[in-house]
Amino acid sequence: MGKVRRTLKRVRLHREGTDILLVTLAFLVSFNVLVWWMSTPVGIAVTVISAILYLLLVNFYRSPKRHFTGRRENVVVSSVDGKVVALEETYESEYLKCRCIQLSVFMSPIDVHANWFPVDGEVIYVKHHDGRFMSAWLPKSSTENERSTVVIRTDDGQLVLMRQVAGAMARRIVTYAEPDTAANIEDHMGFIKLGSRVDLYLPLGTEIFAKIGDRTVGGMTIVGRLNPSTDPQLLKNE
């Protein structure tokens, strides 16, 4: 029993889920009471289904506490739990306006949906964009879907752009990052509700450790390491 209690204590829920979990619980309890009053056999089936759905919702809003213990200098960690679905050289047109490495991780509805900062440094740019809700698997979702862009300047002046992208199911992006505040890879940068993806745009000189199909853990999996000698043209707002 002691072991079970210790395990339960490690299950934390994200603050973004507090209201919806309470409202959903109240609705399900009321609905189940009504169904049980009308028919016991039907009530049993509805209660089982309700319990499964609610546990899935609780699972979606879980918020594990994570501590990065490796070498932090120039490290790039995955911002989210999920699967690497894109890794390519591309042109970033919103802020960096240069060619860089795009690394995208897709989150399914059963993944943790908290978002961590990918690098240590200072937040210098935050902007939310309204848009469509196409499948987050599609490449054009990065520029056409609802999204939020955050740019972080590392201690040695390199710029890393992180973009939260809504998907077909995700209808709300929450961004905690604010300009002129510190970014820490152990801190939450935001939250995306339901399936979605996060894109990282890294300098071309970055050493990449991830590959397509890899599973990542937000705030823990090292996906790359910045090169301190990156072309100065990629350093802005110095």
Side-chain angles (χ1 to χ4, degrees):
M1 181 63 73
K3 183 177 181 180
V4 173
R5 288 174 179 166
R6 285 194 295 272
T7 301
L8 292 177
K9 286 181 180 179
R10 290 197 293 267
V11 178
R12 301 173 68 248
L13 297 178
H14 201 280
R15 60 184 179 180
E16 295 299 333
T18 302
D19 291 342
I20 191 170
L21 287 172
L22 290 175
V23 171
T24 302
L25 180 61
F27 169 78
L28 289 177
V29 169
S30 300
F31 180 70
N32 275 266
V33 168
L34 177 62
V35 173
W36 273 85
W37 179 75
M38 296 175 60
S39 171
T40 299
V42 175
I44 294 174
V46 169
T47 297
V48 171
I49 295 173
S50 297
I52 293 173
L53 292 176
Y54 193 73
L55 288 176
L56 288 175
L57 191 62
V58 169
N59 178 74
F60 173 79
Y61 283 107
R62 68 194 187 281
S63 179
K65 185 69 174 178
R66 293 171 180 169
H67 298 285
F68 184 82
T69 57
R71 174 189 167 199
R72 297 175 72 117
E73 183 180 5
N74 297 315
V75 73
V76 181
V77 300
S78 176
S79 293
V80 293
D81 291 12
K83 182 179 181 180
V84 178
V85 295
L87 180 58
E88 60 185 351
E89 181 179 326
T90 188
Y91 183 83
E92 200 293 307
S93 60
E94 178 180 349
Y95 185 91
L96 301 178
K97 301 187 185 303
C98 64
R99 296 198 68 79
C100 29
I101 300 171
Q102 178 184 343
L103 191 157
S104 302
V105 177
F106 176 81
M107 295 170 283
S108 73
I110 63 173
D111 286 317
V112 171
H113 274 57
N115 306 158
W116 282 261
F117 285 103
V119 294
D120 292 331
E122 178 188 8
V123 178
I124 60 173
Y125 175 85
V126 178
K127 187 170 183 179
H128 180 84
H129 303 268
D130 293 330
R132 302 168 66 184
F133 295 97
M134 299 182 294
S135 171
W137 281 91
L138 299 175
K140 60 183 178 180
S141 66
S142 295
T143 54
E144 296 187 20
N145 277 19
E146 181 166 338
R147 60 202 180 277
S148 184
T149 301
V150 174
V151 178
I152 304 160
R153 182 198 291 131
T154 65
D155 292 339
D156 64 359
Q158 297 193 72
L159 302 184
V160 172
L161 185 148
M162 172 182 176
R163 180 169 291 140
Q164 300 168 287
V165 183
M169 297 177 64
R171 297 290 164 167
R172 188 184 176 201
I173 294 175
V174 182
T175 305
Y176 305 137
E178 296 181 357
D180 303 319
T181 59
N184 186 304
I185 59 177
E186 292 188 351
D187 292 341
H188 285 172
M189 190 285 290
F191 193 93
I192 310 179
K193 298 186 176 182
L194 298 181
S196 45
R197 69 187 263 178
V198 166
D199 300 332
L200 297 183
Y201 292 84
L202 309 169
L204 289 180
T206 303
E207 182 181 8
I208 301 297
F209 303 130
K211 61 182 183 297
I212 298 292
D214 282 357
R215 292 285 306 177
T216 65
V217 178
M220 298 292 289
T221 301
I222 299 176
V223 295
R225 193 172 296 277
L226 300 174
N227 184 347
S229 61
T230 295
D231 188 337
Q233 292 185 11
L234 300 185
L235 308 182
K236 300 189 178 186
N237 297 329
E238 287 282 274

